[in-house]
């Protein structure tokens, strides 16, 4: 089994002051399995299935990221912006690299 990692992390709010970084299908599966029953619907099922498929190597991690992101974007409570970069966090360095690559393409 190869889970791969997402091209860029997704951030979800778990509680008022707790933010979880989702970097792989395994992280997404863990988050999805902890959701209450009343928040599970068709998009939840699609995201869980895509994450399991990516984890098992049947789909690319990008497909799992896309469906998990669709689920996350449905709820403004879960949707989080990446933290502001001060250059010390690995996720911040990744965000800065992507910004630099985008600027250089233009």
């Amino acid at each position: 089994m190869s889970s791969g990692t997402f091209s860029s992390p997704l951030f979800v709010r778990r509680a008022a002051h707790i933010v979880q970084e989702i970097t792989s299908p395994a992280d997404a599966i863990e988050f999805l399995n902890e959701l209450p029953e009343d928040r599970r619907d068709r998009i939840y099922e699609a995201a869980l299935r895509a994450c399991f498929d990516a984890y098992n190597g049947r789909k690319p991690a990008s497909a799992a990221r896309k469906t998990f992101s669709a689920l996350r974007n449905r709820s403004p409570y879960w949707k989080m912006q990446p933290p502001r970069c001060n250059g010390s966090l690995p996720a911040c360095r990744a965000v800065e690299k992507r910004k630099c690559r985008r600027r250089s393409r233009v």
Side-chain angles (χ1 to χ4, degrees), residues 3-12 20-31 51 54 61-62 64-65 68 90-91 94:
S3 63
T5 58
F6 293 158
S7 58
S8 59
L10 294 168
F11 296 90
V12 289
Q20 182 176 350
E21 180 181 31
I22 307 293
T23 60
S24 68
D27 290 344
I29 290 168
E30 179 183 335
F31 177 83
C51 289
S62 60
R65 185 185 189 285
F68 183 82

Side-chain angles (χ1 to χ4, degrees), residues 5-100:
T5 58
F6 293 158
S7 58
S8 59
L10 294 168
F11 296 90
V12 289
R13 187 179 308 177
R14 296 187 62 87
H17 298 288
I18 300 173
V19 176
Q20 182 176 350
E21 180 181 31
I22 307 293
T23 60
S24 68
D27 290 344
I29 290 168
E30 179 183 335
F31 177 83
L32 292 169
N33 283 333
E34 294 174 1
L35 283 181
E37 292 284 329
D38 63 332
R39 291 198 175 184
R40 299 179 183 192
D41 58 5
R42 288 184 184 183
I43 295 177
Y44 163 86
E45 295 295 332
L48 187 62
R49 188 172 33 253
C51 289
F52 271 117
D53 287 347
Y55 183 79
N56 291 322
R58 291 189 296 264
K59 282 188 176 180
S62 60
R65 185 185 189 285
K66 185 176 180 179
T67 55
F68 183 82
S69 182
L71 175 71
R72 178 195 71 149
N73 290 343
R74 287 187 58 217
S75 172
Y77 181 74
W78 289 337
K79 189 174 181 180
M80 292 290 303
Q81 295 300 319
R84 292 201 180 265
C85 296
N86 63 4
S88 63
L89 295 174
C92 291
R93 287 192 290 262
V95 168
E96 291 302 317
K97 283 181 187 177
R98 280 193 307 280
K99 286 181 183 176
C100 290

